[in-house]
Amino acid sequence: MSSVRKQYPFDLIEPKWQAKWEQEQTFRAWNPGEKIPANHPFSRRHSTLPPKYYILDMFPYPSGAGLHVGHPEGYTATDIIARYKRAVGFNVLHPMGWDAFGLPAEQYAIKTGQHPRKTTEQNIATFKRQIQSLGFSYDWSREVDTTDPEYFRWSQWIFLKLYNSWFNPKSNKAEPIETLSYPADITTPEQKKAWQDARRLAFVAETPVNWCPELGTVLANEEVIDGKSEVGGFQVVRKPMRQWMLRITAYAERLLQDLDSIDWPDSLKEMQRNWIGRSEGAEVLFKVASGSETIKVFTTRPDTLYGATYMVLSPEHPLVDQLLTAQWPANIPEKWKGSAESRATPADAVRAYREHASSKSDLERTELAKEKSGVFIGAYAINPVNKEPIPIWIADYVLASYGTGAIMAVPAHDSRDFEFAQKFGLPIRIVVEDPSGKDSAGFTGEGISVNSGPLTGLKTAEAKKKITAWLEEHGVGRKTINYKIRDWLFSRQRYWGEPFPIIWRNGQHEALPESALPVRPPDLTDFKPTPSGEPPLARATDWMNLPDGAVRETNTMPQWAGSCWYYLRYLDARNHDAFVGTAAEKYWMTGSSHSAPGVDLYVGGTEHAVLHLLYSRFWHKVLFDLGHVSTAEPFYKLVNQGLILGEDGQKMSKSRGNVVNPDDILKEFGADAFRLYEMFMGPLEMVKPWNTKGVEGVYRFLGRVWRLFVEEKSEVDFEQSITLSPGKGSELLEKISLNPKIQEIEPTPAQLRTLHATIKKVTEDIEGIRLNTAISALMVFVNEAMTWEKLPKSVMADFLKLLQPLAPHIAEELHEKLTGSSETLAYLDWPKFDPALLVENEIELPVQVNGKVRDVIRVPVDAPTQEIEKQALASEKVQAFIAGKEVKKIIVVPKRVVNIAVAG
RNA sequence: GCCGGUGUGGCGAAAUGGCAGACGCACAGGACUUAAAAUCCUGGGAGGAUAACACCUCGUGUCGGUUCGAGUCCGACCACCGGCACCA
């Protein structure tokens, strides 16, 4: 792979310290009330629990491919911060676990017949070994596995909370279903149950869903990308099915509003805002010209109502069949009637068009978006403001699932309506004038209303207000808010997921009691999905059919169920009686002047922007409403790590052959070099290409650190002996002695300045998560220290404390050599930076003429401005540029720069 | 189409409006070595100028602006990356 020589015995050092950390449980985080052993290093520093700091990684799906270099990017960053926070005195919670339900394990099981439990266990073991070999300071006593019954019983328990709650719009929060009140005409138990069932946060609905035949399951909207499944990229079709849904739409407004209270990247917040898709507008009621029906439309531009020249319903709109006329009205263009083969009556045209529309896959509907299609249904609606009859059409550019599934078309001011009207020769009436004076046909912005009765002359915003008031006054409309977000389709036809704690009796669903948890999946040997969409669990008839005639729900929950709340389980991972204990929840989730509410820092990729990160916020808010958690938001601060590309600048993939395996890097350079390189590549959030040569660079740096601390001859002896008797590694390691240049002496002022400049830079950079520049500061220190004749022990000890979060193994080893103490660096005080030490007596000041540097002068740090000006003007080089010119102005920026502005 | 991000040496990058390119990679030269590797030292944006220095001009995607001074702030544009996309 490369020719770089072995820099230091990382292969002995790293296992040594990893074993010590494990044996000592160095990184255990302590809960309130927990007894901390007196010999634990934490006790030596803290007599009571200090403020908490919760730093979280997105837990991985343990795939068969093993760890990828992308995983440790975020994990290294959080580990550095976790170690730093411990050093500055926090009780740090830094856990890891496994998001282990999911499709790949199940598909592997289908192929090989191997039970997914088995492959999952193997994959977890591999992931854990790989993660541990990087020396991350996780508290493994809190490890969670979403497929463990002791874990998923609580996923099921939260589902029961959702099932047994409703969203009260008055209090704007979830409440127990018992608080629901009933209208006067709801009296019988059956009626009451139906009323409840229609309002639960977890409910059953028959709606068109995303069915993926290849995967044999339905998918949530968030899991479908461009008409294909997010997993596998298979075709997805719309199909009406009876499924479990979660009422996330009830939380649309709060999910949107609360984004303002959290510290997330703007791009991510924007993605969630777009997904929630709030839009303000009005509902308008249109009466049908001949008939008693009214059609409700949603519009964000009620000010354009006078420009509505036709109306469009979605092909699936329930009123279409009622509204159809028996015969075509006289004198309408032939092309309004749809395809030539079936245009005898409006009913024929509608039937043909519906077939045409439903045969299109979602993908085709998107790709063919440019070509508008539709048919007239023979009926007319009356525009409430001007009583004008307008033709009613159906067209697939109107979606059944958004708004009311019907629109008023204003072709002059909506690009889609404009296209449609041009194609079918419908009238285009300008009702808003473009203020820039351009042609107003096709103008979709805000302007001045024209040809609009009482609205004429008003600005768009005022026209909206006025017409909305008019609609409300006349009972033909009102202000409304629409959201793009749909309820969350929550059931899957899979084996490898949490069963629902639900049974069915006489076609009615019932919740199982909490005492029945966990509901374990049955043992199966055939995990295949069924073509009909019947879940595989239905094959286990013994399991499904209960003695009293009830049957179990055979759908399972999606993978998101486990990842929605895992960060809460970490707080109290072994609690058998509750999903999290009250004291633990309060301690870790409550903010203070030192730390944020909820998770202080969450690091992960953007791929979960509208999946896990939205779902988690939703569940958390429900738990908050029901009094189970203390904060309205789970993740206070979030950082997205950027993707790591292959050496060729392309996305890493097996097919490109540019995948870097962390095991290979670790074997050659060690964990510390790997960690350093991942951080040294560039800013955490940035997309950046891998370069193995760069690993050699930081590896050489660690070699220089090593050689700075150890005596050369003992190192040479070590290298010779280890070749002769490789088995005696740890014994030989101890014989390497300290560099005799390191002595218990007072540091020189210059040495102190170097140290304290490094402390300042490293501290500020870690706080700001600028780990690449923190590393470069350590390099600058080492480059400087290598020139020193003697190395003061205190300075070198402080340097190791700064190095520890980034390269913990080598830092611990050298610290042990330096001090003779094997006590871990993890809980030693972070070095304090003393600004007084950075003050110099004389500084160099660049002198500019008209912004260009012409000379550098040395001045006392506290020299008065006049003195600096005088000295700057006295410079020969400067004189060459200002001679014979008029000096207009001299700017002296203290400790920064002098600029002389001259004329000409 | 809409939203967000990013453009700086051969490469990864750094720079509270104040000496552009820290740190590292790659490269070149030197020391050590029989030799190589490793290590240590030195050099380096481009162009010009010089015996050599000194020095000069240009330079942070493009064009313009604000400022004593702009990679950084403002305006317009271009390119690439990511997300959303018939959402009325």
Side-chain angles (χ1 to χ4, degrees):
Chain A
M1 187 178 232
S2 97
S3 55
V4 87
R5 80 147 200 178
K6 178 112 176 227
Q7 295 278 336
Y8 70 102
F10 63 82
D11 51 335
L12 294 174
I13 295 170
E14 291 176 358
K16 169 180 164 184
W17 288 96
Q18 286 165 15
K20 155 122 182 158
W21 296 329
E22 188 172 354
Q23 172 267 322
E24 183 184 58
Q25 296 209 47
T26 311
F27 305 113
R28 266 289 293 270
W30 304 97
N31 274 7
E34 224 172 343
K35 176 107 182 75
I36 308 170
N39 63 353
H40 191 277
F42 189 93
S43 304
R44 291 203 277 278
R45 175 142 181 206
H46 303 285
S47 52
T48 55
L49 274 196
K52 64 94 186 183
Y53 193 87
Y54 186 1
I55 179 158
L56 182 68
D57 290 302
M58 287 187 186
F59 67 164
Y61 173 75
S63 73
L67 213 64
H68 178 268
V69 289
H71 287 116
E73 187 192 10
Y75 302 165
T76 303
T78 54
D79 192 60
I80 290 165
I81 294 161
R83 286 173 176 272
Y84 165 77
K85 290 288 177 183
R86 271 183 215 104
V88 295
F90 287 91
N91 185 18
V92 171
L93 176 56
H94 187 41
M96 181 45 75
W98 318 107
D99 185 18
F101 275 130
L103 271 177
E106 179 165 327
Q107 289 184 314
Y108 188 75
I110 293 166
K111 253 196 293 186
T112 63
Q114 175 129 238
H115 196 283
R117 167 88 260 151
K118 185 122 200 232
T119 45
T120 300
E121 272 167 16
Q122 286 165 353
N123 293 347
I124 287 177
T126 305
F127 263 67
K128 191 168 178 180
R129 175 189 61 74
Q130 289 186 304
I131 286 178
Q132 287 188 320
S133 68
L134 283 159
F136 295 138
S137 61
Y138 292 122
D139 176 357
W140 287 103
S141 75
R142 296 169 187 254
E143 180 180 356
V144 301
D145 167 2
T146 56
T147 66
D148 180 348
E150 278 303 301
Y151 182 90
F152 71 65
R153 70 181 298 167
W154 299 110
S155 305
Q156 292 169 335
W157 180 85
I158 296 171
F159 177 84
L160 287 180
K161 294 289 154 202
L162 288 154
Y163 181 86
N164 288 319
S165 306
W166 69 297
F167 190 85
N168 183 347
K170 290 218 181 74
S171 60
N172 196 26
K173 59 182 221 178
E175 293 177 11
I177 196 80
E178 292 76 32
T179 68
L180 191 55
S181 56
Y182 303 90
D185 56 337
I186 303 281
T187 49
T188 67
E190 290 75 29
Q191 286 173 323
K192 285 191 173 171
K193 180 168 193 320
W195 184 262
Q196 284 184 344
D197 286 352
R199 277 156 190 80
R200 296 178 188 277
L201 292 184
F203 62 103
V204 174
E206 168 103 26
T207 50
V209 296
N210 307 299
W211 168 252
C212 179
E214 199 72 25
L215 295 173
T217 186
V218 297
L219 297 168
N221 290 336
E222 290 81 357
E223 293 170 308
V224 179
I225 293 162
D226 292 338
K228 296 194 171 153
S229 62
E230 194 207 11
V231 174
F234 302 117
Q235 193 66 241
V236 172
V237 296
R238 301 292 284 184
K239 178 174 166 182
M241 284 174 83
R242 216 151 90 117
Q243 296 291 332
W244 284 95
M245 314 279 289
L246 298 186
R247 208 175 297 282
I248 192 171
T249 50
Y251 282 84
E253 190 60 36
R254 279 169 61 188
L255 287 168
L256 187 68
Q257 290 296 323
D258 288 356
L259 284 174
D260 295 338
S261 71
I262 51 182
D263 182 5
W264 286 19
D266 286 337
S267 58
L268 193 57
K269 287 188 181 184
E270 206 49 35
M271 276 194 235
Q272 292 211 347
R273 286 193 191 105
N274 291 339
W275 190 261
I276 294 166
R278 181 187 202 272
S279 63
E280 267 183 47
E283 278 175 3
V284 185
L285 298 174
F286 283 68
K287 277 208 166 56
V288 175
S290 49
S292 57
E293 297 89 351
T294 48
I295 301 167
K296 193 192 276 180
V297 304
F298 173 71
T299 177
T300 54
R301 290 298 298 271
D303 60 300
T304 62
L305 192 46
Y306 284 86
T309 55
Y310 65 103
M311 169 176 280
V312 187
L313 309 188
S314 72
E316 303 90 343
H317 197 285
L319 279 179
V320 173
D321 292 317
Q322 271 168 262
L323 296 178
L324 285 175
T325 51
Q327 299 300 325
W328 293 113
N331 304 326
I332 61 157
E334 281 301 301
K335 64 178 171 187
W336 287 24
K337 300 178 183 172
S339 71
E341 303 85 62
S342 57
R343 54 165 63 149
T345 64
D348 289 332
V350 164
R351 192 180 322 111
Y353 185 73
R354 278 181 173 161
E355 266 168 37
H356 158 77
S358 67
S359 71
K360 286 191 206 170
S361 66
D362 278 18
L363 188 61
E364 284 168 325
R365 269 174 87 143
T366 333
E367 275 175 357
L368 300 174
K370 284 145 217 149
E371 190 55 28
K372 293 281 179 293
S373 66
V375 294
F376 177 46
I377 68 168
Y380 290 83
I382 302 297
N383 186 335
V385 287
N386 55 14
K387 310 299 179 216
E388 216 173 87
I390 56 175
I392 304 173
W393 289 65
I394 57 171
D396 66 359
Y397 83 92
V398 171
L399 309 175
S401 56
Y402 182 75
T404 62
I407 62 157
M408 63 177 209
V410 184
H413 307 295
D414 180 282
S415 53
R416 297 147 300 182
D417 298 344
F418 187 73
E419 250 180 77
F420 192 85
Q422 283 193 317
K423 178 161 177 182
F424 291 103
L426 290 153
I428 297 168
R429 185 185 303 156
I430 291 166
V431 292
V432 183
E433 212 151 66
D434 185 343
S436 73
K438 293 193 196 114
D439 184 4
S440 296
F443 169 65
T444 58
E446 305 212 336
I448 308 290
S449 288
V450 292
N451 302 324
S452 292
L455 305 183
T456 302
L458 295 180
K459 286 186 186 156
T460 297
E462 294 159 13
K464 280 182 181 174
K465 253 186 230 161
K466 184 158 183 182
I467 189 69
T468 310
W470 186 91
L471 291 167
E472 284 181 17
E473 199 180 305
H474 292 80
V476 289
R478 60 187 182 94
K479 189 178 168 182
T480 50
I481 294 164
N482 249 301
Y483 299 92
K484 277 199 268 185
I485 192 170
R486 306 283 70 152
D487 278 327
W488 176 13
L489 180 87
F490 194 67
S491 43
R492 299 289 182 278
Q493 293 70 52
R494 312 249 42 116
Y495 172 73
W496 194 230
E498 302 87 347
F500 282 84
I502 292 286
I503 56 171
W504 292 78
R505 205 189 296 277
N506 305 323
Q508 300 283 310
H509 46 76
E510 276 175 28
L512 288 169
E514 286 180 18
S515 59
L517 304 183
V519 178
R520 293 161 194 265
D523 259 324
L524 281 188
T525 47
D526 183 3
F527 311 108
K528 266 199 250 6
T530 61
S532 61
E534 181 78 1
L537 292 194
R539 291 204 180 94
T541 48
D542 287 355
W543 177 85
M544 185 175 79
N545 296 310
L546 298 172
D548 62 354
V551 292
R552 287 185 192 275
E553 169 65 55
T554 54
N555 281 297
T556 54
M557 300 189 201
Q559 188 171 7
W560 314 110
S563 59
C564 262
W565 70 282
Y566 74 110
Y567 60 94
L568 292 170
R569 189 59 180 167
Y570 284 140
L571 307 181
D572 200 6
R574 301 292 167 257
N575 192 325
H576 191 73
D577 305 316
F579 81 113
V580 56
T582 313
E585 193 279 328
K586 283 224 150 42
Y587 174 72
W588 290 110
M589 297 303 279
T590 308
S592 69
S593 55
H594 305 279
S595 53
V599 173
D600 293 83
L601 179 63
Y602 194 17
V603 175
T606 46
E607 65 274 18
H608 295 297
V610 293
L611 293 159
H612 158 65
L613 288 174
L614 192 61
Y615 297 151
S616 272
R617 293 183 61 219
F618 164 47
W619 276 34
H620 194 89
K621 285 180 188 306
V622 175
L623 291 170
F624 174 64
D625 288 352
L626 299 176
H628 298 292
V629 296
S630 320
T631 62
E633 283 287 332
F635 314 121
Y636 172 72
K637 182 180 168 75
L638 185 135
V639 174
N640 289 125
Q641 88 262 27
L643 206 62
I644 296 181
L645 305 173
E647 301 219 33
D648 54 2
Q650 303 282 313
K651 221 173 183 170
M652 281 194 197
S653 76
K654 262 192 202 154
S655 58
R656 284 201 188 87
N658 59 355
V659 176
V660 178
N661 182 345
D663 282 348
D664 298 339
I665 305 297
L666 246 60
K667 196 162 171 244
E668 190 166 9
F669 306 105
D672 284 335
F674 183 78
R675 293 167 57 113
L676 281 189
Y677 177 64
E678 290 243 345
M679 297 300 100
F680 191 60
M681 288 169 86
L684 185 63
E685 315 79 33
M686 223 55 96
V687 176
K688 42 210 176 282
W690 181 269
N691 175 10
T692 300
K693 284 282 179 198
V695 190
E696 290 177 21
V698 291
Y699 181 50
R700 272 199 281 265
F701 160 68
L702 291 176
R704 282 200 295 279
V705 171
W706 179 255
R707 292 189 291 275
L708 193 58
F709 278 84
V710 302
E711 199 249 333
E712 205 183 325
K713 188 175 173 306
S714 68
E715 231 257 317
V716 173
D717 289 348
F718 166 82
E719 277 172 32
Q720 284 168 354
S721 325
I722 195 95
T723 338
L724 296 174
S725 43
K728 296 198 169 173
S730 45
E731 211 176 293
L732 294 168
L733 188 59
E734 276 179 41
K735 290 197 181 140
I736 297 176
S737 52
L738 202 62
N739 186 344
K741 281 179 165 179
I742 300 179
Q743 293 166 17
E744 303 224 23
I745 47 170
E746 279 299 308
T748 66
Q751 288 172 331
L752 274 181
R753 262 205 302 279
T754 302
L755 174 69
H756 282 258
T758 309
I759 295 173
K760 181 176 194 295
K761 179 84 178 135
V762 172
T763 307
E764 289 171 356
D765 283 353
I766 293 180
E767 288 277 0
I769 324 183
R770 292 180 298 268
L771 304 172
N772 51 334
T773 50
I775 294 167
S776 89
L778 294 171
M779 289 172 166
V780 171
F781 175 92
V782 169
N783 291 347
E784 171 76 22
M786 295 212 346
T787 68
W788 294 346
E789 279 303 307
K790 289 187 174 159
L791 305 168
K793 189 172 165 185
S794 62
V795 171
M796 302 316 283
D798 277 352
F799 167 75
L800 290 177
K801 291 179 190 168
L802 299 178
L803 181 65
Q804 181 265 138
L806 296 120
H809 308 88
I810 189 173
E812 293 270 25
E813 180 67 22
L814 292 174
H815 182 253
E816 186 183 53
K817 288 213 184 300
L818 186 72
T819 62
S821 154
S822 63
E823 184 179 352
T824 175
L825 276 164
Y827 294 95
L828 298 186
D829 272 329
W830 188 252
K832 292 234 165 34
F833 144 72
D834 181 355
L837 291 171
L838 288 185
V839 176
E840 293 183 75
N841 298 329
E842 245 192 7
I843 52 167
E844 288 193 332
L845 213 52
V847 181
Q848 301 178 333
V849 177
N850 285 347
K852 291 199 169 107
V853 178
R854 298 303 181 183
D855 199 5
V856 177
I857 56 174
R858 282 196 74 83
V859 295
V861 70
D862 52 357
T865 305
Q866 291 95 328
E867 194 54 42
I868 294 172
E869 283 182 17
K870 212 167 124 192
Q871 207 177 323
L873 287 170
S875 152
E876 268 178 46
K877 290 174 187 169
V878 168
Q879 274 303 322
F881 285 90
I882 61 176
K885 292 175 182 165
E886 180 205 348
V887 174
K888 289 197 295 191
K889 199 172 179 185
I890 303 180
I891 294 103
V892 177
V893 183
K895 296 179 195 170
R896 283 290 181 189
V897 78
V898 181
N899 191 16
I900 302 167
V902 296

